[in-house]
Amino acid sequence: MFILDGARGIVMEAEQGFYHIVWEDHFTSWEKEEMLEKVKD
């Protein structure tokens, strides 16, 4: 799970440094790896 701007999302697929993420509000987007923060357990 990752965080971007305070929203949490789940990675659905990854390709060449980009992640396809489904966010907690059901919005989907492709994000650059360096823009994301991994959720700490």
Side-chain angles (χ1 to χ4, degrees):
M1 189 172 299
F2 287 92
I3 297 175
L4 177 68
D5 296 332
R8 291 177 178 241
I10 298 172
V11 175
M12 301 306 291
E13 59 185 310
E15 188 174 308
Q16 298 176 356
F18 286 88
Y19 291 99
H20 182 204
I21 300 178
V22 176
W23 298 103
E24 57 194 344
D25 62 358
H26 304 287
F27 179 77
T28 64
S29 63
W30 283 91
E31 303 293 341
K32 285 186 174 182
E33 181 176 10
E34 59 266 12
M35 298 299 295
L36 301 168
E37 177 184 339
K38 190 167 187 170
V39 172
K40 297 176 181 125
D41 294 329

